Amino acid sequence: MVYESEHYRFFFSENSLAEQKISEIAAYQEECFDFICRMLDVTPDFKIEYTLCATPVEVGLFYGDEEPCNGFTRLPNQIFAVYNESVKCIGFHEDAHIISYCINRPPNSAVREGLAMFFDRRWWGISNFDWTLYYIRCNRCPSIEMMIENESFFSLDCALTYPVVGAFTEYLILFYGIERYLCFYRYTNRIEHTFFQTYQKTLSQLYAEFIRYVSNFSLDWALEIRIKELLASNGR
């Protein structure tokens, strides 16, 4: 079945939960779309095609490797995502990828995921900054040098890397402005060179600055317990 809104074309199965909620889903995604476009000062000249699947297995079949997953994007304008009673993989993340690629698709995955996580703001319902603070307190926060390399970025647990790069991206935008960040985001050569050109500081210097900033805050004990529970329940 197909449902269209101003900027989206949704595909879903008959009698699915997605069919029941499709008008709500479309309205929600249009809100996300508007915020992302205004923040990045860009508007795609195409509709985003959203395929809403009942299970992660179905998404994996669309991806092609048959590995279950909750969602992914396929250029130039497709998103495949799980939508059922327990998993609703909609919102900012995948849309931020598609829309930001109208500006550029940086070669470093940490940059791409950092921007998407900036829009998400949260991982498993807890803010990116609180996750980062927890990892700092546990001495588990990875170095920026490790995360900026694609191979090592994906060798690390996504519950570790995604919130941290999201919080770092938010720090850059909060303290140095979205205009400067977008200048950096357009880079095509070595990231360290473009970073220094844009911020007049090395990537390592700014990451250390970010870690010092986050370290000034305290983590509520109940939130720390919740983080530990989430990690344990997800096999981390």
Side-chain angles (χ1 to χ4, degrees):
M1 300 185 72
V2 183
Y3 181 95
E4 293 203 34
S5 61
E6 183 178 359
H7 300 104
Y8 290 87
R9 185 175 295 114
F10 296 92
F11 301 91
F12 49 91
S13 298
E14 189 175 2
N15 300 320
S16 64
L17 181 64
E19 181 188 7
Q20 297 174 31
K21 303 288 187 179
I22 193 60
S23 61
E24 297 174 24
I25 294 169
Y28 179 49
Q29 292 308 131
E30 288 288 353
E31 287 290 331
C32 294
F33 182 94
D34 179 66
F35 183 80
I36 296 168
C37 290
R38 286 192 290 119
M39 191 73 185
L40 301 182
D41 193 27
V42 65
T43 302
D45 59 1
F46 52 78
K47 283 195 174 188
I48 295 176
E49 296 187 349
Y50 233 109
T51 300
L52 297 165
C53 303
T55 67
V57 171
E58 189 179 348
V59 176
L61 290 172
F62 277 114
Y63 188 79
D65 63 1
E66 299 187 7
E67 286 292 324
C69 67
N70 287 339
F72 72 93
T73 60
R74 179 175 287 153
L75 295 178
N77 68 327
Q78 293 180 302
I79 296 173
F80 299 83
V82 174
Y83 191 89
N84 58 34
E85 291 289 356
S86 58
V87 178
K88 295 175 176 59
C89 190
I90 59 174
F92 286 99
H93 192 101
E94 304 300 343
D95 304 58
H97 282 311
I98 292 288
I99 296 168
S100 67
Y101 294 165
C102 294
I103 300 171
N104 187 34
R105 189 176 186 273
N108 300 87
S109 298
V111 176
R112 301 196 302 268
E113 297 301 340
L115 184 59
M117 284 301 297
F118 160 74
F119 284 107
D120 267 349
R121 315 292 270 198
R122 295 174 180 274
W123 178 270
W124 292 340
I126 294 173
S127 77
N128 295 331
F129 271 97
D130 284 327
W131 279 106
T132 303
L133 182 57
Y134 172 79
Y135 290 131
I136 291 171
R137 296 281 187 261
C138 297
N139 199 30
R140 291 180 58 193
C141 208
S143 69
I144 193 64
E145 290 81 8
M146 178 173 286
M147 291 191 293
I148 213 64
E149 296 297 330
N150 288 341
E151 186 175 348
S152 55
F153 179 80
F154 286 113
S155 72
L156 296 168
D157 187 351
C158 58
L160 174 63
T161 55
Y162 277 50
V164 173
V165 294
F168 183 43
T169 301
E170 184 173 349
Y171 175 83
L172 294 174
I173 293 172
L174 178 66
F175 282 90
Y176 294 92
I178 185 63
E179 294 81 7
R180 188 177 290 190
Y181 180 82
L182 289 176
C183 286
F184 156 70
Y185 193 80
R186 291 181 173 90
Y187 76 96
T188 55
N189 55 5
R190 293 186 70 247
I191 184 173
E192 295 88 349
H193 175 72
T194 307
F195 213 88
F196 189 79
Q197 277 190 323
T198 305
Y199 292 102
Q200 288 77 57
K201 295 180 182 179
T202 67
L203 185 57
S204 297
Q205 285 174 327
L206 268 175
Y207 187 70
E209 185 181 291
F210 157 70
I211 294 296
R212 288 197 305 273
Y213 169 73
V214 177
S215 299
N216 285 316
F217 296 91
S218 58
L219 187 65
D220 181 81
W221 66 271
L223 193 56
E224 183 174 350
I225 291 173
R226 178 60 180 153
I227 288 174
K228 290 178 179 178
E229 290 174 345
L230 284 168
L231 291 171
S233 65
N234 285 278
R236 267 68 171 191

